[in-house]
Amino acid sequence: MNEQKYAISEYHDTNQIYAKLNGLISQPMRPVKREKMQEFLNYFDTQCKRSKELTDEAKKFIPGGVQHNLAFNYPFPIAIEKADGAYLWDADGNQYIDFLQAGGPTVLGSNYAPVREKVFEMLQSCGPVTGLFHEYELKLAQLVNRFMPAVEMFRMLGSGTESVMAAIRAARAFTKKKYVIKVGGAYHGWSDQMVYGLHIPGTGRLESTGIPRGASASTEEFFPNSLASLKRHLIFNRIRGGTAAVIVEPLGPESGTRPVPFDFNQKVRELCDEFGALLTFDEVVTGFRLGMGGAQGFFGVKPDLTVFGKCISGGYPMAGGVGGRADVIMTFAAGIGGTGERAYIGGTLSANPLSCVAGYYSLLEMERTNAPVLAGCAGDRLTRGLQAIIDKYGLPFVAYNEGSIVHLETSGVMLLDLRNPIRLARELKPRKHMLEEMGAAYMSQGLITLAGSRMYTSMADTDELIDQSLNKFETVLAACV
Ligand SMILES: Cc1ncc(COP(=O)(O)O)c(C=O)c1O
């Protein structure tokens, strides 16, 4: 029997998911019943006093009192003190099942000891940074190339955001073309040019407070899954400077929140070839979570450029990198004096020994343990269980997964878009609030999710733990009836 290599055991039927999602947003919301919600919120007042004290104080020194977009803020942020495997503990000593997993990087589970030991060794021998070359930079680049042969050369950077910036810069330098096309609603970090069509397709510069018009003037978005719209942009751009890159998350925007049909990436590849644009896969989430070959291995599509983040340093700091065709990546060749015309990138702490050793051993351990597949099995079990609860209570909610990325859409806010601006204006706020409430309700039962609608599973999620979590989910979902 062939060993399963990827986290996705069976690719979903995208049409079926969209039919369910459209069903969800075409009917009134089904939030938690008011008296039950009050009960869930009481948890925070009675059990999370230290978190409240800390985050109230933090508001005086930190804008909004919290620094991560993913830190769940309703009714107030929880202060976390300890992380281990599938669990987190807060400042009041409460234990949670952790389905945030730091936003994706820790496929091995949080604070995985064998990697931590290698990091300790590096700290003792070398410290976190020297500013000079270390052998682990080479080892990591070789390893990434072994897993993803399309990544012929690799440059390590500080974050996914930086790495997207670098990929776009290389694409423009190499092709001498101007435009970058992304999918509406997709998040590719917060650089000036990518805060465009964020979260909600068709919204262009809606969120670009503080960003000059010129900075995003060469960024375009196309509607999720609309290859016809992508082609129109490519045709139009041909007469006004050309398209340097098309950047996609291979599972669809926001880790597959708007999923793509299986052949979507291949079709984008063909369009890129026709118009001479570089196909750029943002594998910040999928890079190694989906399998050691990434989404490119799973879909069998070879991108010109690949952007990494999260898993590339196993959840340790400075998680970013860009790789791909050697002729394109060579535009980054560093060194004093340089090589003439080059795309300039840098970073004092980029490619430091600590990040490289953490990334190297995390990836090796993920390969050895088959962690992406184990995490994917946990995702399958969680999704099956959620679906059974949804069916049991006759709720309109939608559960589906791409391996270890599990979606549980209850408010449908992520599915609103500008094609129906009246509904968007009317429903955005209340549906967003419902999502916040769902996240808080799950947390009151000891479950941490990503913003109330997404769960990342890890190798540490045993069958028993998933079953325990399903009981907790059921307490909340039953309260929506
Ligand atoms: C698909 C994708 N691209 C880019 C980024 C940005 O990465 P970072 O947060 O490391 O800057 C993220 C972050 O969540 C992401 O999910």
Side-chain angles (χ1 to χ4, degrees):
M1 204 179 93
N2 277 343
E3 195 186 14
Q4 189 183 329
K5 278 171 49 190
Y6 288 94
I8 299 179
S9 53
E10 195 182 343
Y11 200 67
H12 47 50
D13 177 344
T14 321
N15 289 333
Q16 209 177 50
I17 294 173
Y18 279 108
K20 286 188 185 175
L21 290 170
N22 287 330
L24 174 65
I25 52 168
S26 64
Q27 49 182 290
M29 290 188 303
R30 297 283 289 275
V32 170
K33 295 276 175 279
R34 291 305 81 189
E35 59 296 359
K36 268 305 218 180
M37 194 61 221
Q38 199 45 56
E39 234 177 77
F40 293 144
L41 289 176
N42 286 346
Y43 165 82
F44 295 90
D45 292 333
T46 56
Q47 308 294 312
C48 305
K49 294 195 166 126
R50 182 68 185 139
S51 277
K52 178 137 180 43
E53 256 170 43
L54 284 169
T55 54
D56 277 351
E57 184 67 10
K59 280 189 200 136
K60 297 183 199 155
F61 300 97
I62 295 169
V66 66
Q67 324 229 24
H68 286 103
N69 292 327
L70 299 182
F72 204 73
N73 302 337
Y74 184 75
F76 51 81
I78 293 295
I80 295 298
E81 276 194 347
K82 189 177 151 193
D84 188 18
Y87 294 102
L88 294 174
W89 288 263
D90 69 14
D92 294 277
N94 303 304
Q95 187 192 52
Y96 301 89
I97 295 177
D98 175 16
F99 288 131
L100 176 59
Q101 287 295 326
T106 48
V107 183
L108 294 159
S110 278
N111 205 359
Y112 183 70
V115 174
R116 189 174 65 225
E117 280 153 23
K118 295 293 179 189
V119 169
F120 275 161
E121 277 171 29
M122 179 61 76
L123 281 172
Q124 260 152 358
S125 64
C126 191
V129 64
T130 65
L132 294 172
F133 177 71
H134 194 288
E135 185 182 353
Y136 274 104
E137 292 176 46
L138 170 62
K139 281 172 170 286
L140 182 59
Q142 283 171 325
L143 193 60
V144 173
N145 170 261
R146 171 157 79 75
F147 293 135
M148 297 184 186
V151 182
E152 294 165 359
M153 295 188 111
F154 173 75
R155 178 100 190 239
M156 187 92 170
L157 288 163
S159 67
T161 299
E162 282 183 23
S163 307
V164 170
M165 288 163 59
I168 291 171
R169 191 165 298 172
R172 288 197 171 118
F174 183 80
T175 61
K176 314 265 187 269
K177 293 177 180 173
K178 178 173 168 187
Y179 286 92
V180 171
I181 307 178
K182 71 178 285 268
V183 181
Y187 180 67
H188 297 290
W190 54 276
S191 67
D192 279 2
Q193 59 200 328
M194 283 289 113
V195 178
Y196 189 85
L198 216 58
H199 308 308
I200 301 170
T203 49
R205 285 180 47 86
L206 188 70
E207 299 236 35
S208 54
T209 306
I211 301 174
R213 261 184 196 283
S216 52
S218 306
T219 306
E220 296 177 336
E221 56 168 311
F222 68 101
F223 198 80
N225 291 337
S226 175
L227 292 162
S229 155
L230 170 59
K231 188 161 184 177
R232 275 195 300 278
H233 280 290
L234 288 163
I235 291 170
F236 191 47
N237 289 350
R238 206 154 46 180
I239 53 165
R240 52 182 199 152
T243 305
V246 177
I247 181 164
V248 295
E249 268 188 273
L251 287 176
E254 297 271 1
S255 298
T257 296
R258 290 171 190 261
V260 298
F262 189 83
D263 61 357
F264 175 78
N265 292 295
Q266 178 56 34
K267 293 202 167 133
V268 177
R269 171 74 275 175
E270 285 159 21
L271 284 172
C272 283
D273 289 342
E274 186 182 338
F275 289 88
L278 298 189
L279 174 61
T280 303
F281 273 1
D282 180 338
E283 294 232 37
V284 166
V285 172
T286 51
F288 313 110
R289 175 163 281 278
L290 225 55
M292 303 318 292
Q296 51 200 271
F298 176 73
F299 288 109
V301 175
K302 189 173 171 185
D304 299 297
L305 293 172
T306 302
V307 174
F308 297 91
K310 306 196 192 270
C311 287
I312 195 68
S313 62
Y316 281 81
M318 308 307 286
V322 57
R325 277 169 47 185
D327 53 352
V328 183
I329 297 296
M330 273 304 288
T331 56
F332 292 140
I336 291 173
T339 54
E341 202 171 295
R342 67 169 162 172
Y344 199 93
I345 58 172
T348 305
L349 286 180
S350 291
N352 65 74
L354 188 148
S355 308
C356 293
V357 82
Y360 178 72
Y361 284 107
S362 295
L363 295 184
L364 277 188
E365 277 296 294
M366 283 169 68
E367 182 190 35
R368 185 185 68 77
T369 57
N370 210 13
V373 173
L374 296 178
C377 290
D380 286 348
R381 189 177 182 91
L382 181 58
T383 308
R384 276 196 307 273
L386 289 170
Q387 190 59 56
I389 299 169
I390 290 169
D391 294 343
K392 178 172 165 187
Y393 292 96
L395 291 162
F397 303 159
V398 187
Y400 64 96
N401 69 315
E402 292 104 357
S404 57
I405 306 167
V406 178
H407 304 272
L408 174 58
E409 298 296 341
T410 53
S411 88
V413 62
M414 291 299 283
L415 275 302
L416 296 173
D417 65 63
L418 264 184
R419 286 177 308 181
N420 191 339
I422 296 172
R423 178 163 77 187
L424 181 67
R426 195 181 50 221
E427 297 189 11
L428 182 64
K429 251 184 143 166
R431 286 191 185 269
K432 220 168 146 181
H433 183 60
M434 175 181 163
L435 195 63
E436 284 179 337
E437 285 195 344
M438 294 306 287
Y442 301 141
M443 198 182 274
S444 75
Q445 299 307 301
L447 295 169
I448 295 195
T449 61
L450 193 161
S453 68
R454 198 183 310 161
M455 283 77 75
Y456 291 116
T457 51
S458 82
M459 181 176 81
D461 294 334
T462 59
D463 287 356
E464 298 76 59
L465 176 133
I466 294 295
D467 294 348
Q468 257 176 37
S469 78
L470 286 167
N471 287 335
K472 295 170 186 289
F473 275 112
E474 182 163 1
T475 305
V476 176
L477 297 180
C480 298
V481 180

